[in-house]
Amino acid sequence: MIETQAQARAADAADPLRVFRARFALPDGVIYLDGNSLGPLPRATQARLDTALRSEWGEGLIRSWNDADWIGAPARIGGKIARLIGAAATEVVVADSTSVNLFKLLSAAVRARPGRRVILTETGNFPTDLYIAQGVAASIPGIEARALPRETVADAIGADVAVVMLTHVHYKTAARWDMAAITARAHAAGALALWDLSHSAGAVEVDLRACGADLAVGCGYKYLNGGPGAPAFLFVAERLQAALHSPLSGWMGHASAFDFSDDYHPAGGVGRFLCGTPPVLGLTALEVGVDIALEADVAEVARKSAALWDLFAARVEARLARYGLDLISPRDPARRGSHVSFTHPEGYRIMQALIARGVIGDFRDPDVLRFGLTPLYLGYEDIWRAVEILHEVMQEEAWLSQAERAPGRVT
Amino acid sequence: MIETQAQARAADAADPLRVFRARFALPDGVIYLDGNSLGPLPRATQARLDTALRSEWGEGLIRSWNDADWIGAPARIGGKIARLIGAAATEVVVADSTSVNLFKLLSAAVRARPGRRVILTETGNFPTDLYIAQGVAASIPGIEARALPRETVADAIGADVAVVMLTHVHYKTAARWDMAAITARAHAAGALALWDLSHSAGAVEVDLRACGADLAVGCGYKYLNGGPGAPAFLFVAERLQAALHSPLSGWMGHASAFDFSDDYHPAGGVGRFLCGTPPVLGLTALEVGVDIALEADVAEVARKSAALWDLFAARVEARLARYGLDLISPRDPARRGSHVSFTHPEGYRIMQALIARGVIGDFRDPDVLRFGLTPLYLGYEDIWRAVEILHEVMQEEAWLSQAERAPGRVT
């Protein structure tokens, strides 16, 4: 139990993950609590991209598709991400964006469950998940994208549901679904389960195989630190690969792309969900981030995530109880992700003031303050100081109503 | 008329585009004739990406979405590419891959022409164009992807055709369609015309507006020198934007992406064809290549392309007439692109031998030798020397049959 700043510092000194902090190029004077939106720059990325530019692209030119294995990058990096999410290397590829991958997998899933007309999800899911589901529904006659309140989703998995699409860790609240339980419910009803791991991969323990998950997608630029707009990944369980077909039948998903034949024949494995030419620079940066994540022990990351979270919540309670910040994230570590969120009517202005003081979190409409607690480059003292700076903001900002200030400061 | 190597050298000295050569980091000892497959590294790309990494990503972190205008990059760079292809800035965005963009536009086009069931294209079109058309056809009930021999395409544009999809400059032969004529034929039949500009943008003069084109896609990593797997672009004529809907309705195509609402409402303009989070590193590299292309006079580029091409063909005729290389590209500059192709039964081994001697072209099944003649970084003497090295290969390689060698060298 950390109750003083000195104890926080001591916890940092004893932290087995502390060595990872130096792997990231974080600016001085910043406590970065937004790695759940965009992970920071790994120092190694600069040298790696420089090599990709000068040597691979500049010197190797077209030959680097083979000589530098650019062509193998989607499967190679997918195989690495697989180890972070409990999948086999042959079940994951890196490609396109999370949105595009959602379209591929949702379309394939709906077609694999003929006679079932519903894509089931929750209201308030991440917007692009909802929008893509709506786009798939608009594209396929008879299909409906049905979003229900979170607490009613499980009971709504019926005989009309083709696929249940949920974000494992909610982008606003950090609430984590019980992947095994929901997947089992889906299977019992004859539906497929698709998990968006954007706020999970590299942050919490995920075991797609143990949970029996069918499909998944996820983001490369959050906890995987792959860079802004990094390529995304997708997972298709081995047992389903032969039966599922991507509507985006581009040449990289062809069984023999370099035969240049006129007719599409899908590749045998998860590679059929590749589409266009791989984005080499983005893949190169992503691989650096993934390699760092693989060096850390996943259980240790999850343990520290929970400890940072508990410290943040405890400090807010100790220091800010009277300021009307309402915790909207679950307290049970097994039911939450690696960020913590609060609501406050002045949330937007509070976050702007925090950022001006070097504590970078983010704000989500209408009133959510969101703080990413990323074990690889944040320490306990960072958390301590962040809450102290939040306390300063709440005390000192003139636009906060008097009732929300600490009594001692009201003049 | 260049008839000696000295004359070629003199032509280089007088070339107004010669200054652009120094803008590219081409390796010593290489004559790079594959810029139609992967353009070389612009020297400025290294510094620009270093800034994007260190300053924008590393220091700016999440704030760079606004502060470095990452969020505006798809429209900003699209607006620049528009100037290279005769479009308005508000008609082009950069997004995804050529394949994904083809899927979006073909799907939208087919749905905008209800009652018409055919996507018409040519056999032997670039594979991903054919595959994506087949994927769209498989996704939408009643739609057929119909590929016909090139010479029969125009006459087959009938009342059943929803969209004519052609690659403006053919990837193998460099044969160039008459965009204005085919577009007019399509419109006369009530169909839309979609042009793949992958081998055109930055290489030949393109005027989408003057031709009345409806839709277009194109590649960032060929003549635009945007880097391996660079993001692609798409064009939707202003008059069609309100009526066309992307099936890939991701959050970046939303009218108010950052409202995080549950329901999809497409953006008003071409931006509705954006989908997922923009790939910032790829966009950054692409913009450098596009900026260089914009510095060159497009008419001068086209003129020099034609002159390099004529020199290459003339030298092959003068030096290699007896070696059985068959020209398969059109001789009329108005009917071809910026690469030249020959067939030869030993094409694969010839190209391997050429590459070993520093002349990098490429080979396409079953027997095509392809040479990209890119005016920004190739000179007349490069062309002269490339053909001399080809001559050496034909004379000296033991696996070429005796009949194919120069008589004087047969021992």
Side-chain angles (χ1 to χ4, degrees), chain A residues 7 30 45 60 83 99 121 158 171 178 226-227 230 250 280 282 297 330 363 369 377 380 393:
Chain A
Q7 286 171 345
V30 163
T45 303
R83 292 156 54 193
S99 301
T121 187
Y171 81 104
D178 182 335
V280 172
D297 179 67
F363 173 77
L369 294 150
Y377 47 86
Y380 297 94
V393 166

Side-chain angles (χ1 to χ4, degrees), chain B residues 1-61:
Chain B
M1 190 69 181
I2 295 169
E3 291 183 329
T4 67
Q5 189 165 354
Q7 287 171 346
R9 201 173 301 134
D12 284 336
D15 173 13
L17 297 177
R18 189 63 177 167
V19 293
F20 285 96
R21 169 68 184 79
R23 311 285 291 276
F24 294 90
L26 284 158
D28 293 338
V30 163
I31 300 175
Y32 192 58
L33 305 182
D34 210 8
N36 54 317
S37 187
L38 173 65
L41 171 67
R43 291 186 191 279
T45 303
Q46 296 169 281
R48 181 66 190 85
L49 261 183
D50 198 59
T51 298
L53 290 179
R54 287 175 197 268
S55 168
E56 294 175 15
W57 179 11
E59 291 284 326
L61 291 158

Side-chain angles (χ1 to χ4, degrees), chain A residues 362-384:
Chain A
D362 67 20
F363 173 77
R364 287 292 176 261
D365 268 334
D367 57 2
V368 176
L369 294 150
R370 206 171 61 146
F371 303 97
L373 309 174
T374 48
L376 291 187
Y377 47 86
L378 287 175
Y380 297 94
E381 194 177 5
D382 292 323
I383 301 303
W384 185 281

